[in-house]
Amino acid sequence: MSITARKERQKEELKGKILQAAKALFMEKGFEETSIRNIAEKIEYSPTTIYLYFKDKDDIFHALHTEGFVLLNQYFRPLAHVSDPFERLKAVMKAYINFAKENGEFYDLMFIINSPMKSVEKEAGEWEEGKRAFEFLIGTVGECIQRGYFHGMDAEVVAFTLWSMVHGICSLEIRNRCSVVSALNQEDLANKATGVIQEILERMHSKPQ
Amino acid sequence: MSITARKERQKEELKGKILQAAKALFMEKGFEETSIRNIAEKIEYSPTTIYLYFKDKDDIFHALHTEGFVLLNQYFRPLAHVSDPFERLKAVMKAYINFAKENGEFYDLMFIINSPMKSVEKEAGEWEEGKRAFEFLIGTVGECIQRGYFHGMDAEVVAFTLWSMVHGICSLEIRNRCSVVSALNQEDLANKATGVIQEILERMHSKPQ
DNA sequence: TAATTAACTTAACACCGTTAATTAACATAT
DNA sequence: ATATGTTAATTAACGGTGTTAAGTTAATTA
């Protein structure tokens, strides 16, 4: 009895160690530069052992992908207590951008890199943490609409649009498209763009209050 | 005399053939799936020959990268004749989105994939076609500001922000982040988001006319 | 005609993700 | 207590990648 339990525990432990090693390498070198052989070396197992715990490389990074969404939701959680929905909305967008800045490689994996989506699309049904994040945004937008913001628009569509806006800034910065286009410091430009979006948002209430 | 000219011409010809083969493979299979060995096979040369014409794989895709910007500028060129700057601005954004839709792999290379930027950043000075595209946008925004749109804002910053917005939509669609987040058809969602942005733009003139 | 240069190829290096076959350790049943 | 079966991990290998060094062949110059 307890002996199979111990084995189970040990298997889970090693699976955790693989993930932990993958995460460390991934965070310091990025997705492309992290190989299964690297991960294996780090945990002092043979590369093929990893295939006993994960189907393939995508599978590993799919696990990190959902881990990233857990982290993003941690950025969002405190904002649930902001009662004014428009203030909350602005705070969510700021938090999203901060998340991107502070977790560049995770952001890349979650919103840019192709690899993890193959697994996500297969799962279809489940995708809890990702949907939680987006639904928090939709909910907030919905409340804003009730208060006269984004008049006549659909909450889901507006939420997606706002997400697109901040994602545009974050992904252009992460993939280095800012510096080549402007004399401005890359981070500066992104900050100012964020300012413009805030400015735009302010003008989005048709019937104030 | 003419003999060296012919050789020069032939060298240039083969360089062109490499690029052409790379482009064909790239457009049907994408960046990751196009190998130097593939390209070599297509033009019936040994893989190493390619290195006599291009420094490395990045160098090839850097060439395609600028080719993509030439194409983008062709989407923009007709719009130079739209006299009203705000109408022109909206048309530019539409054209950009059309470009992305009709040239997905090129878009990926130009605005998402890391590889070509290594070369772009080294060139530093030159990057003509890319800057032409962006400066067309800045110019249009500048004229809009003169007519009372985006009051008190900086043209370059606004241009970058608008670019971010449409890039957000395009890149989320290309990298398949729409379908997982909404029951809506992916293209539908992107179209509706574009509509919201148009709507937002309409509200951006402080002193109309 | 001999020496040099240019264009190209073959062979090889060091990696990659992944699969098949194999060993070693352990648990169970006789 | 011995034989059997199962599990975890390994080694070896396949077919691929980008890239470099060394070698070949043909054309051009001296």
Side-chain angles (χ1 to χ4, degrees), chain B residues 11 37 46 48-49 52-53:
Chain B
K11 273 210 85 172
R37 283 174 166 89
S46 106
T48 51
T49 299
L52 302 172
Y53 295 83

Side-chain angles (χ1 to χ4, degrees), chain A residues 47-208:
Chain A
T48 51
T49 299
I50 291 175
Y51 286 88
L52 302 173
Y53 295 84
F54 294 93
K55 193 185 148 291
D56 53 23
K57 197 186 175 186
D58 288 345
D59 197 21
I60 299 173
F61 282 89
H62 171 61
L64 292 185
H65 181 259
T66 70
E67 211 175 284
F69 277 96
V70 173
L71 187 56
L72 177 60
N73 280 317
Q74 279 168 23
Y75 275 69
F76 285 169
R77 185 153 306 118
L79 309 179
H81 303 108
V82 179
S83 56
D84 180 62
F86 191 66
E87 290 305 316
R88 197 192 315 142
L89 178 60
K90 290 189 287 183
V92 167
M93 293 175 80
K94 256 189 212 151
Y96 183 94
I97 290 169
N98 282 338
F99 170 81
K101 275 195 186 132
E102 291 161 17
N103 309 278
E105 295 296 348
F106 262 116
Y107 190 90
D108 206 10
L109 185 65
M110 291 158 72
F111 300 115
I112 304 179
I113 290 171
N114 275 322
S115 151
M117 299 318 285
K118 296 165 196 165
S119 309
V120 171
E121 274 156 12
K122 269 166 203 159
E123 279 191 7
E126 230 30 55
W127 162 223
E128 229 184 302
E129 289 293 331
K131 290 198 167 166
R132 188 202 315 288
F134 193 59
E135 258 145 38
F136 182 53
L137 178 61
I138 295 182
T140 301
V141 170
E143 289 183 49
C144 286
I145 290 175
Q146 282 176 358
R147 302 225 183 167
Y149 295 89
F150 312 107
H151 181 250
M153 297 178 182
D154 178 68
E156 187 180 275
V157 173
V158 172
F160 176 75
T161 309
L162 296 177
W163 174 33
S164 294
M165 290 178 179
V166 288
H167 169 69
I169 295 175
C170 295
S171 62
L172 286 174
E173 185 169 349
I174 281 181
R175 290 304 176 97
N176 264 74
R177 260 60 179 191
C178 303
S179 49
V180 292
V181 107
S182 162
L184 282 159
N185 162 13
Q186 165 145 315
E187 207 186 318
D188 239 48
L189 190 59
N191 283 340
K192 284 179 178 167
T194 309
V196 172
I197 287 182
Q198 294 271 338
E199 186 78 27
I200 288 174
L201 279 189
E202 296 289 352
R203 305 195 194 185
M204 288 314 288
H205 44 117
S206 312
K207 322 173 192 166

Side-chain angles (χ1 to χ4, degrees), chain A residues 2-40:
Chain A
S2 134
I3 188 164
T4 36
R6 193 209 66 215
K7 283 209 161 186
E8 198 66 33
R9 200 166 359 104
Q10 279 177 341
K11 274 209 84 169
E12 215 54 43
E13 234 173 77
L14 184 47
K15 188 164 184 172
K17 271 187 79 172
I18 292 170
L19 235 41
Q20 187 182 322
K23 181 176 165 186
L25 289 170
F26 164 72
M27 292 209 308
E28 72 173 72
K29 309 198 297 180
F31 173 75
E32 304 276 9
E33 315 308 323
T34 303
S35 74
I36 288 194
R37 284 175 164 88
N38 292 161
I39 299 168

Side-chain angles (χ1 to χ4, degrees), chain B residues 121-189:
Chain B
E121 275 157 10
K122 270 166 201 160
E123 280 190 7
E126 232 29 55
W127 194 45
E128 230 183 300
E129 289 293 333
K131 290 198 168 167
R132 190 201 315 290
F134 193 59
E135 256 145 38
F136 182 54
L137 178 61
I138 294 181
T140 301
V141 171
E143 289 182 49
C144 286
I145 290 176
Q146 281 175 1
R147 301 223 184 170
Y149 295 89
F150 311 107
H151 181 250
M153 297 177 182
D154 177 69
E156 188 179 275
V157 173
V158 172
F160 175 76
T161 308
L162 296 177
W163 173 33
S164 294
M165 290 179 179
V166 287
H167 169 69
I169 295 174
C170 297
S171 62
L172 285 175
E173 185 168 349
I174 283 181
R175 291 303 176 93
N176 263 75
R177 260 62 180 191
C178 302
S179 49
V180 292
V181 107
S182 162
L184 280 159
N185 162 13
Q186 165 146 315
E187 206 186 319
D188 239 48
L189 189 58

